Structures are given as C-alpha cells and as structure tokens.
C-alpha cells in the first residue's frame, strides 16, 4: 500500500506534514491496522458467544440455543466453540442434553486469551511500508516503535475481561 493510496482511503489522512507529504502520525495507525488485523471474525463471534453464555448463567447451552443470539450459522459457531473447548475456555458435554458451558467465570477470561485462540500471538510480521523483502528489518526504527506499541496493546488486551465487555 503506497502513501498515496492510503491517503485516498480516508479523508483524515489528508493532513499534510513537512514537504507537502501526508502526516505520518495519521498514516501509521492505518498501516498498523492493515498489517495487524487486531480482531478477526472468528474472535468477534467467540466473544459474542462467551458474553451470551455469561448472560444465560452457568448451565450448558446447545449450539442451536446460541445460534440466533450470536447471529452466525450453526456449523461456523460449532467450529468456534470447539476451538474454545480445546483451548480450555469452555467445557463440552455430549449427549441429548449436550452443549457447551464456561470452564471458568467470565472475569477470568481475557480478550487477549480469546484472540490468541483464533489468531495467535499479537505481532506484525509484514513490513509496514509494504516492501516484500525488507533490507532494514533488524535496524528499522519504525519497526522498533511498532514493537513497543504491540507490547502496550498486548497488556491492554490482557486487562480486558469478557465480563467487562458484557456490561
């Protein structure tokens, strides 16, 4: 993604800095968002499912009970719940009265934990300038700053509980 293309995407990026170029303070968040994908669709639906389970109480809920509330197809929801079960966030129960229930209270489940189940650790792996092979990977000043931002963001996500999102 070039600077010109980025600036044309969002009017807020039209701010001009030195030498008539768009201001980097407006562009960096856009690059970072494009390269990180902070929360994907699976993570979003997983959080919605957990919030719904918390609202319904400590009992076991079937996938069909949650399907309408979470507004997602049954097969996709089942896949999400199975991943959460494998990660120890949920417990599954088989049989006629089967389904899923919370493995622990919502105040002990963080957004960071749920995000990692579906997206892995929080980090940018691509060059923020869109260069395929970066020659300055180890010495890139922007990359060091982005690593600092990633650390702060990871701490913030780790402090957000699913319970706090349900309020």
């Amino acid at each position: 993604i070039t600077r010109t293309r980025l600036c044309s995407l969002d009017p807020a990026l039209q701010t001009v800095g030195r030498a008539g170029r768009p201001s980097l303070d407006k562009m960096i968040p856009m690059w970072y968002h494009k390269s990180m994908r902070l929360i994907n669709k699976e993570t979003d639906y997983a959080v919605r499912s957990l919030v719904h389970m918390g609202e319904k109480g400590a009992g076991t809920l079937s996938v069909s009970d949650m399907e309408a509330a979470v507004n997602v197809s049954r097969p996709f929801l089942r896949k999400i719940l199975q991943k959460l079960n494998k990660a120890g966030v949920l417990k599954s129960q088989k049989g006629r009265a089967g389904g899923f229930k919370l493995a622990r209270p919502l105040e002990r489940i963080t957004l960071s934990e749920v995000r990692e189940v579906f997206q892995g650790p929080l980090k940018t792996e691509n060059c923020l300038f869109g260069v395929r092979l970066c020659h300055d990977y180890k010495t890139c000043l922007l990359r060091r700053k982005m690593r600092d931002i990633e650390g702060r963001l990871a701490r913030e996500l780790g402090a957000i509980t699913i319970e706090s999102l349900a309020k």
Side-chain angles (χ1 to χ4, degrees), residues 77-94:
L77 181 58
R78 183 177 289 117
K79 178 181 146 188
I80 289 169
L81 297 175
Q82 287 169 343
K83 282 185 178 182
L84 289 170
N85 178 58
K86 187 175 180 180
V89 176
L90 297 179
K91 291 182 180 178
S92 65
Q93 182 177 336
K94 296 183 180 189

Side-chain angles (χ1 to χ4, degrees), residues 142-154:
L142 183 56
R143 178 128 181 95
R144 276 191 253 151
K145 287 287 188 190
M146 296 312 289
R147 243 184 282 134
D148 293 343
I149 292 170
E150 286 170 3
R152 290 191 308 247
L153 185 57

Side-chain angles (χ1 to χ4, degrees), residues 9-10 30 33 46 51 66-67 100 123:
L9 293 176
D10 187 349
M30 178 65 86
H33 173 71
V51 167
M66 289 189 278
E67 179 181 12
F100 295 89
K123 64 180 179 179

Side-chain angles (χ1 to χ4, degrees), residues 104-152:
R104 57 188 186 273
L106 289 181
E107 67 265 9
R108 292 187 43 225
I109 302 170
T110 66
L111 181 56
S112 178
E113 178 184 7
V114 175
R115 187 195 175 284
E116 283 190 29
V117 169
F118 297 97
Q119 297 175 250
L122 179 68
K123 64 180 179 179
T124 54
E125 295 177 355
N126 302 328
C127 176
L128 298 171
F129 296 105
V131 177
R132 185 165 270 232
L133 181 60
C134 183
H135 301 288
D136 297 324
Y137 183 79
K138 291 182 180 178
T139 60
C140 178
L141 298 175
L142 183 56
R143 178 128 181 95
R144 276 191 253 151
K145 287 287 188 190
M146 296 312 289
R147 243 184 282 134
D148 293 343
I149 292 170
E150 286 170 3
R152 290 191 308 247

